[in-house]
Amino acid sequence: MLGVVLLAASACNSSGDGLASRLAGEVVIDLKKTDNRRLLSFYIGGMVGAEARDPFRAGVLREEKGDFFLHVDSLAKMAPILNTDLRLISADGLVDWDELEALVLTHYYAYRNVPATVDLLMAETGDWNNEGEWFRVDVNGVMSPHLRQINVKLKDLYDAIRSYRENGDHLIYPVGTIFISEHLDADHRVELSAMRKRHDGFWDFFAYNENGFLASALTRHPKNLDVPTKCIGCHFGTRLFEPERSFPSKPQPGPDGPRALYFDYPPPGRELIRSLDEHRKRSDLVLGLYGTLMLAKLRNLKQEGSLGEEEADVLGSIGF
Protein backbone atom coordinates (compact mmCIF):
# COMPACT_ATOMS: atom_id res chain seq x y z
CA MET A 1 0.00 0.00 0.00
CA LEU A 2 2.81 2.40 0.86
CA GLY A 3 4.33 1.87 -2.61
CA VAL A 4 1.03 2.75 -4.27
CA VAL A 5 0.70 5.90 -2.18
CA LEU A 6 4.21 6.99 -3.07
CA LEU A 7 3.67 6.25 -6.76
CA ALA A 8 0.46 8.25 -6.89
CA ALA A 9 2.14 11.12 -5.12
CA SER A 10 5.08 11.18 -7.50
CA ALA A 11 2.77 10.97 -10.52
CA CYS A 12 0.95 14.12 -9.43
CA ASN A 13 4.10 16.05 -8.64
CA SER A 14 4.86 19.10 -10.78
CA SER A 15 7.44 20.88 -8.63
CA GLY A 16 10.32 20.40 -11.06
CA ASP A 17 12.25 18.02 -8.76
CA GLY A 18 12.73 15.43 -11.51
CA LEU A 19 9.59 13.40 -10.85
CA ALA A 20 7.04 12.72 -13.57
CA SER A 21 3.91 14.89 -13.64
CA ARG A 22 0.38 13.67 -14.19
CA LEU A 23 -1.61 15.92 -16.50
CA ALA A 24 -5.31 16.72 -16.35
CA GLY A 25 -7.45 13.73 -17.33
CA GLU A 26 -4.64 11.23 -16.79
CA VAL A 27 -4.20 8.35 -14.36
CA VAL A 28 -1.04 6.43 -13.58
CA ILE A 29 -0.93 2.98 -15.17
CA ASP A 30 1.67 0.81 -13.47
CA LEU A 31 1.88 -2.90 -14.35
CA LYS A 32 5.08 -3.52 -12.37
CA LYS A 33 6.36 -5.72 -15.20
CA THR A 34 9.76 -5.82 -16.90
CA ASP A 35 8.46 -4.91 -20.36
CA ASN A 36 5.84 -2.30 -19.56
CA ARG A 37 5.91 -0.27 -22.77
CA ARG A 38 5.46 -3.28 -25.04
CA LEU A 39 2.75 -4.76 -22.83
CA LEU A 40 0.86 -1.48 -22.76
CA SER A 41 1.27 -1.10 -26.50
CA PHE A 42 -0.31 -4.52 -26.97
CA TYR A 43 -3.15 -4.22 -24.47
CA ILE A 44 -4.12 -0.57 -24.86
CA GLY A 45 -3.28 -0.54 -28.58
CA GLY A 46 -5.85 -3.27 -29.06
CA MET A 47 -8.48 -0.99 -27.53
CA VAL A 48 -7.68 1.89 -29.88
CA GLY A 49 -9.93 1.02 -32.83
CA ALA A 50 -10.72 -2.20 -34.68
CA GLU A 51 -7.42 -2.20 -36.57
CA ALA A 52 -5.34 -1.53 -33.43
CA ARG A 53 -2.64 1.14 -33.42
CA ASP A 54 0.12 2.65 -31.32
CA PRO A 55 -1.63 4.09 -28.24
CA PHE A 56 1.21 6.52 -27.57
CA ARG A 57 0.84 8.11 -31.00
CA ALA A 58 -2.94 8.02 -30.62
CA GLY A 59 -2.69 10.22 -27.52
CA VAL A 60 -4.07 7.61 -25.15
CA LEU A 61 -0.82 6.75 -23.39
CA ARG A 62 2.15 8.89 -22.41
CA GLU A 63 5.52 7.98 -20.94
CA GLU A 64 7.57 10.39 -18.88
CA LYS A 65 10.74 9.50 -17.00
CA GLY A 66 9.81 5.83 -16.92
CA ASP A 67 6.26 6.40 -15.67
CA PHE A 68 3.18 5.74 -17.80
CA PHE A 69 -0.01 7.75 -17.91
CA LEU A 70 -3.39 6.83 -19.39
CA HIS A 71 -5.82 9.48 -20.65
CA VAL A 72 -9.12 7.98 -19.57
CA ASP A 73 -11.50 10.18 -21.60
CA SER A 74 -9.60 9.58 -24.83
CA LEU A 75 -9.64 5.81 -24.40
CA ALA A 76 -13.30 5.80 -23.38
CA LYS A 77 -14.21 7.65 -26.59
CA MET A 78 -12.24 5.20 -28.73
CA ALA A 79 -13.60 2.12 -26.94
CA PRO A 80 -17.05 3.01 -25.54
CA ILE A 81 -17.65 -0.57 -24.42
CA LEU A 82 -14.95 -0.05 -21.78
CA ASN A 83 -16.33 3.22 -20.42
CA THR A 84 -18.03 2.04 -17.22
CA ASP A 85 -15.39 -0.45 -16.09
CA LEU A 86 -12.52 1.78 -17.19
CA ARG A 87 -13.74 4.68 -15.07
CA LEU A 88 -14.33 2.34 -12.16
CA ILE A 89 -10.76 0.98 -12.09
CA SER A 90 -9.22 4.43 -12.65
CA ALA A 91 -11.26 6.31 -10.05
CA ASP A 92 -8.41 6.25 -7.52
CA GLY A 93 -5.90 7.66 -10.03
CA LEU A 94 -4.03 4.39 -10.50
CA VAL A 95 -4.57 1.39 -12.78
CA ASP A 96 -2.51 -1.64 -11.75
CA TRP A 97 -1.97 -4.99 -13.48
CA ASP A 98 -4.81 -6.82 -11.72
CA GLU A 99 -7.26 -4.12 -12.76
CA LEU A 100 -6.04 -3.99 -16.36
CA GLU A 101 -6.07 -7.78 -16.65
CA ALA A 102 -9.66 -7.95 -15.39
CA LEU A 103 -10.68 -5.26 -17.89
CA VAL A 104 -9.04 -7.13 -20.75
CA LEU A 105 -10.44 -10.55 -19.83
CA THR A 106 -13.94 -9.10 -19.54
CA HIS A 107 -14.06 -7.16 -22.81
CA TYR A 108 -11.27 -8.41 -25.08
CA TYR A 109 -13.32 -10.41 -27.56
CA ALA A 110 -15.81 -7.57 -27.96
CA TYR A 111 -13.39 -4.71 -28.62
CA ARG A 112 -11.18 -6.89 -30.84
CA ASN A 113 -14.21 -7.93 -32.92
CA VAL A 114 -13.42 -11.64 -32.77
CA PRO A 115 -15.76 -14.04 -34.65
CA ALA A 116 -18.24 -15.45 -32.12
CA THR A 117 -18.16 -19.04 -33.38
CA VAL A 118 -15.87 -21.41 -35.28
CA ASP A 119 -18.35 -21.39 -38.16
CA LEU A 120 -18.11 -17.60 -38.42
CA LEU A 121 -14.33 -17.83 -38.18
CA MET A 122 -14.24 -20.27 -41.09
CA ALA A 123 -16.61 -18.08 -43.09
CA GLU A 124 -14.18 -15.19 -42.56
CA THR A 125 -10.90 -17.03 -43.19
CA GLY A 126 -11.82 -19.86 -45.53
CA ASP A 127 -11.66 -23.59 -44.86
CA TRP A 128 -8.31 -24.41 -43.26
CA ASN A 129 -8.79 -28.06 -44.27
CA ASN A 130 -8.16 -27.04 -47.90
CA GLU A 131 -4.64 -28.36 -48.49
CA GLY A 132 -4.34 -26.40 -51.71
CA GLU A 133 -4.48 -23.09 -49.83
CA TRP A 134 -3.25 -23.90 -46.31
CA PHE A 135 -0.07 -25.36 -44.80
CA ARG A 136 -0.46 -27.66 -41.80
CA VAL A 137 1.89 -28.78 -39.05
CA ASP A 138 0.86 -31.33 -36.42
CA VAL A 139 2.47 -31.01 -33.00
CA ASN A 140 2.41 -32.41 -29.50
CA GLY A 141 3.84 -29.57 -27.43
CA VAL A 142 3.74 -27.86 -24.07
CA MET A 143 0.78 -25.57 -24.82
CA SER A 144 -1.87 -28.28 -24.75
CA PRO A 145 -2.26 -31.89 -23.58
CA HIS A 146 -3.82 -32.58 -27.00
CA LEU A 147 -2.40 -33.01 -30.47
CA ARG A 148 -2.67 -29.68 -32.30
CA GLN A 149 -3.13 -29.35 -36.03
CA ILE A 150 -1.85 -25.85 -36.84
CA ASN A 151 -2.79 -24.24 -40.14
CA VAL A 152 -1.60 -21.08 -41.90
CA LYS A 153 -2.45 -19.87 -45.40
CA LEU A 154 0.19 -20.72 -47.96
CA LYS A 155 0.15 -17.20 -49.41
CA ASP A 156 0.94 -15.66 -46.01
CA LEU A 157 3.73 -18.13 -45.29
CA TYR A 158 5.14 -17.60 -48.78
CA ASP A 159 5.08 -13.83 -48.25
CA ALA A 160 7.00 -14.20 -44.99
CA ILE A 161 9.64 -16.37 -46.66
CA ARG A 162 9.98 -14.07 -49.69
CA SER A 163 10.54 -11.03 -47.46
CA TYR A 164 12.97 -12.84 -45.14
CA ARG A 165 16.09 -11.04 -46.37
CA GLU A 166 14.55 -7.57 -46.54
CA ASN A 167 13.28 -8.07 -42.99
CA GLY A 168 16.76 -8.62 -41.61
CA ASP A 169 16.65 -12.43 -41.76
CA HIS A 170 13.39 -12.62 -39.86
CA LEU A 171 10.10 -14.20 -40.90
CA ILE A 172 7.57 -11.36 -40.70
CA TYR A 173 4.01 -12.19 -41.67
CA PRO A 174 1.62 -9.84 -43.49
CA VAL A 175 -1.18 -8.09 -41.60
CA GLY A 176 -4.22 -10.35 -41.41
CA THR A 177 -2.24 -13.61 -41.28
CA ILE A 178 -4.04 -16.10 -39.09
CA PHE A 179 -2.86 -19.33 -37.50
CA ILE A 180 -5.67 -21.80 -36.78
CA SER A 181 -4.92 -24.60 -34.31
CA GLU A 182 -7.37 -27.45 -33.78
CA HIS A 183 -6.80 -29.34 -30.52
CA LEU A 184 -7.73 -32.99 -31.04
CA ASP A 185 -8.60 -35.89 -28.76
CA ALA A 186 -8.27 -38.79 -31.20
CA ASP A 187 -10.09 -37.33 -34.23
CA HIS A 188 -12.45 -35.17 -32.18
CA ARG A 189 -11.84 -31.43 -31.88
CA VAL A 190 -12.07 -30.42 -28.23
CA GLU A 191 -10.78 -26.86 -28.60
CA LEU A 192 -9.56 -24.43 -31.21
CA SER A 193 -7.05 -21.62 -30.72
CA ALA A 194 -6.06 -18.90 -33.16
CA MET A 195 -3.76 -15.91 -33.52
CA ARG A 196 -4.34 -13.12 -36.05
CA LYS A 197 -1.83 -10.43 -37.12
CA ARG A 198 -2.92 -6.88 -36.29
CA HIS A 199 -2.13 -3.63 -38.08
CA ASP A 200 0.16 -2.53 -35.25
CA GLY A 201 2.39 -5.59 -35.62
CA PHE A 202 1.02 -7.49 -32.63
CA TRP A 203 -1.29 -10.52 -32.75
CA ASP A 204 -4.75 -11.12 -31.35
CA PHE A 205 -5.24 -14.44 -29.58
CA PHE A 206 -8.58 -16.19 -29.22
CA ALA A 207 -10.02 -19.61 -28.44
CA TYR A 208 -13.16 -21.69 -28.91
CA ASN A 209 -14.59 -24.57 -26.90
CA GLU A 210 -15.72 -28.02 -28.01
CA ASN A 211 -19.08 -26.63 -29.13
CA GLY A 212 -17.48 -23.97 -31.31
CA PHE A 213 -18.17 -20.95 -29.10
CA LEU A 214 -15.64 -18.43 -27.78
CA ALA A 215 -13.82 -19.60 -24.67
CA SER A 216 -12.05 -17.46 -22.08
CA ALA A 217 -9.34 -20.06 -21.43
CA LEU A 218 -7.64 -23.09 -22.95
CA THR A 219 -7.22 -26.43 -21.19
CA ARG A 220 -3.80 -26.96 -19.71
CA HIS A 221 -2.48 -28.69 -16.61
CA PRO A 222 -2.13 -27.80 -13.80
CA LYS A 223 -3.87 -24.50 -14.66
CA ASN A 224 -5.83 -23.38 -17.69
CA LEU A 225 -4.47 -20.59 -19.91
CA ASP A 226 -6.45 -17.35 -19.82
CA VAL A 227 -6.82 -15.73 -23.26
CA PRO A 228 -5.04 -13.49 -24.19
CA THR A 229 -3.04 -12.69 -21.05
CA LYS A 230 -1.34 -16.07 -20.69
CA CYS A 231 -0.76 -16.34 -24.44
CA ILE A 232 1.52 -13.33 -24.62
CA GLY A 233 3.44 -14.52 -21.58
CA CYS A 234 4.99 -17.15 -23.86
CA HIS A 235 5.01 -15.23 -27.14
CA PHE A 236 6.61 -12.12 -25.59
CA GLY A 237 9.12 -14.11 -23.57
CA THR A 238 12.43 -15.76 -24.43
CA ARG A 239 11.90 -19.27 -23.05
CA LEU A 240 12.31 -22.08 -25.60
CA PHE A 241 9.72 -24.84 -25.75
CA GLU A 242 9.66 -28.47 -26.80
CA PRO A 243 9.59 -30.00 -29.33
CA GLU A 244 10.85 -26.97 -31.28
CA ARG A 245 13.77 -26.35 -28.91
CA SER A 246 15.36 -29.77 -29.57
CA PHE A 247 14.23 -30.31 -33.17
CA PRO A 248 15.28 -32.36 -35.10
CA SER A 249 16.39 -34.33 -32.03
CA LYS A 250 13.62 -36.06 -30.12
CA PRO A 251 12.99 -34.52 -26.68
CA GLN A 252 11.87 -36.37 -23.59
CA PRO A 253 8.10 -36.85 -23.23
CA GLY A 254 6.18 -34.36 -21.13
CA PRO A 255 3.79 -35.15 -18.27
CA ASP A 256 0.91 -35.61 -20.72
CA GLY A 257 2.70 -37.47 -23.51
CA PRO A 258 5.24 -37.11 -26.32
CA ARG A 259 6.76 -33.87 -27.60
CA ALA A 260 6.97 -34.12 -31.36
CA LEU A 261 6.34 -32.53 -34.78
CA TYR A 262 4.64 -34.64 -37.44
CA PHE A 263 4.91 -34.23 -41.24
CA ASP A 264 5.01 -36.50 -44.30
CA TYR A 265 8.19 -35.31 -46.05
CA PRO A 266 11.91 -35.59 -45.21
CA PRO A 267 12.87 -33.43 -42.23
CA PRO A 268 14.92 -30.27 -42.71
CA GLY A 269 18.64 -30.64 -42.25
CA ARG A 270 20.44 -29.07 -39.32
CA GLU A 271 21.96 -26.46 -41.63
CA LEU A 272 18.53 -25.16 -42.60
CA ILE A 273 17.29 -25.28 -39.00
CA ARG A 274 20.33 -23.35 -37.76
CA SER A 275 20.19 -20.83 -40.61
CA LEU A 276 16.59 -19.81 -39.94
CA ASP A 277 16.88 -20.35 -36.16
CA GLU A 278 13.13 -19.79 -36.24
CA HIS A 279 12.07 -20.78 -32.74
CA ARG A 280 14.95 -19.04 -31.00
CA LYS A 281 14.56 -15.80 -32.95
CA ARG A 282 10.83 -15.73 -32.23
CA SER A 283 10.43 -13.50 -35.30
CA ASP A 284 7.10 -11.69 -35.32
CA LEU A 285 6.30 -13.32 -31.95
CA VAL A 286 5.68 -16.66 -33.71
CA LEU A 287 6.98 -19.75 -31.91
CA GLY A 288 6.60 -22.54 -34.48
CA LEU A 289 8.87 -23.84 -37.25
CA TYR A 290 6.53 -23.11 -40.13
CA GLY A 291 9.08 -21.50 -42.46
CA THR A 292 11.66 -24.17 -41.72
CA LEU A 293 9.27 -27.01 -42.46
CA MET A 294 7.86 -25.32 -45.55
CA LEU A 295 11.34 -24.90 -47.02
CA ALA A 296 12.08 -28.55 -46.24
CA LYS A 297 8.90 -29.52 -48.10
CA LEU A 298 9.79 -27.34 -51.09
CA ARG A 299 13.31 -28.77 -51.23
CA ASN A 300 11.82 -32.26 -51.32
CA LEU A 301 9.44 -31.29 -54.12
CA LYS A 302 12.40 -29.91 -56.07
CA GLN A 303 14.29 -33.18 -55.67
CA GLU A 304 11.23 -35.06 -56.88
CA GLY A 305 10.94 -32.75 -59.89
CA SER A 306 7.45 -31.63 -58.94
CA LEU A 307 8.14 -28.06 -57.79
CA GLY A 308 5.70 -25.54 -59.25
CA GLU A 309 6.61 -22.09 -60.55
CA GLU A 310 5.44 -20.21 -57.46
CA GLU A 311 7.06 -22.72 -55.12
CA ALA A 312 10.34 -22.42 -57.04
CA ASP A 313 10.19 -18.65 -56.66
CA VAL A 314 9.64 -18.97 -52.91
CA LEU A 315 12.47 -21.47 -52.50
CA GLY A 316 14.83 -19.36 -54.57
CA SER A 317 14.06 -16.18 -52.65
CA ILE A 318 15.52 -17.43 -49.39
CA GLY A 319 18.99 -17.99 -50.84
CA PHE A 320 19.89 -21.09 -48.81
Side-chain angles (χ1 to χ4, degrees), residues 20-69:
S21 301
R22 190 174 72 188
L23 304 179
E26 292 182 335
V27 297
V28 176
I29 182 163
D30 182 22
L31 307 185
K32 287 186 167 58
K33 304 286 187 179
T34 58
D35 196 8
N36 290 305
R37 188 179 180 94
R38 184 162 68 153
L39 288 170
L40 288 170
S41 294
F42 169 75
Y43 285 117
I44 306 300
M47 301 172 184
V48 183
E51 293 186 344
R53 54 197 177 105
D54 186 336
F56 293 91
R57 293 184 178 181
V60 173
L61 282 175
R62 183 174 63 87
E63 181 181 5
E64 183 183 350
K65 300 174 183 177
D67 293 331
F68 295 91
F69 303 92

Side-chain angles (χ1 to χ4, degrees), residues 35-309:
D35 196 8
N36 290 305
R37 188 179 180 94
R38 184 162 68 153
L39 288 170
L40 288 170
S41 294
F42 169 75
Y43 285 117
I44 306 300
M47 301 172 184
V48 183
E51 293 186 344
R53 54 197 177 105
D54 186 336
F56 293 91
R57 293 184 178 181
V60 173
L61 282 175
R62 183 174 63 87
E63 181 181 5
E64 183 183 350
K65 300 174 183 177
D67 293 331
F68 295 91
F69 303 92
L70 174 68
H71 197 283
V72 176
D73 287 343
S74 296
L75 182 56
K77 288 178 182 178
M78 295 178 182
I81 194 172
L82 301 176
N83 182 58
T84 300
D85 288 341
L86 177 62
R87 295 189 185 282
L88 181 65
I89 66 173
S90 61
D92 62 351
L94 171 70
V95 175
D96 62 21
W97 166 244
D98 290 339
E99 291 170 327
L100 179 62
E101 182 181 33
L103 184 73
V104 170
L105 293 177
T106 300
H107 298 288
Y108 179 72
Y109 286 150
Y111 66 74
R112 292 309 308 137
N113 195 28
V114 173
T117 67
V118 170
D119 288 343
L120 290 173
L121 176 66
M122 184 173 286
E124 180 180 292
T125 65
D127 186 354
W128 47 85
N129 297 301
N130 183 344
E131 295 182 2
E133 296 183 0
W134 294 74
F135 178 67
R136 194 182 89 187
V137 176
D138 292 1
V139 59
N140 280 121
V142 300
M143 176 187 166
S144 172
H146 305 291
L147 174 73
R148 290 183 295 139
Q149 292 186 337
I150 307 175
N151 306 273
V152 60
K153 283 186 177 179
L154 286 170
K155 68 177 184 64
D156 294 327
L157 183 53
Y158 286 169
D159 282 352
I161 294 173
R162 284 192 181 104
S163 61
Y164 179 78
R165 294 303 185 190
E166 66 185 75
N167 283 321
D169 291 355
H170 288 80
L171 289 168
I172 305 298
Y173 292 85
V175 170
T177 297
I178 188 165
F179 287 87
I180 305 286
S181 176
E182 294 191 312
H183 303 209
L184 304 179
D185 184 357
D187 292 327
H188 178 64
R189 186 181 70 210
V190 294
E191 290 177 319
L192 185 147
S193 58
M195 53 185 287
R196 181 175 60 192
K197 182 76 174 285
R198 302 185 340 190
H199 285 75
D200 61 356
F202 291 111
W203 297 75
D204 280 323
F205 301 89
F206 40 104
Y208 300 87
N209 61 24
E210 185 175 11
N211 297 318
F213 295 101
L214 283 170
S216 60
L218 288 162
T219 301
R220 189 169 185 264
H221 304 299
K223 189 176 181 180
N224 290 347
L225 298 174
D226 293 329
V227 180
T229 55
K230 293 300 186 291
C231 303
I232 68 165
C234 293
H235 286 267
F236 278 20
T238 58
R239 182 182 175 187
L240 304 181
F241 300 99
E242 299 292 8
E244 293 86 358
R245 179 177 66 178
S246 298
F247 187 78
S249 299
K250 185 177 180 180
Q252 292 295 317
D256 45 32
R259 299 285 185 254
L261 291 159
Y262 308 97
F263 43 89
D264 58 1
Y265 40 86
R270 292 183 181 275
E271 172 266 336
L272 175 58
I273 296 169
R274 286 194 299 266
S275 294
L276 256 66
D277 202 15
E278 193 170 355
H279 184 62
R280 192 176 305 274
K281 285 182 182 177
R282 203 160 307 210
S283 299
D284 214 2
L285 306 178
V286 175
L287 298 174
L289 299 179
Y290 311 104
T292 306
L293 293 174
M294 171 54 76
L295 289 170
K297 182 176 182 178
L298 296 182
R299 280 182 168 181
N300 183 59
L301 291 174
K302 182 177 181 180
Q303 291 175 355
E304 293 177 345
S306 55
L307 194 66
E309 183 177 341

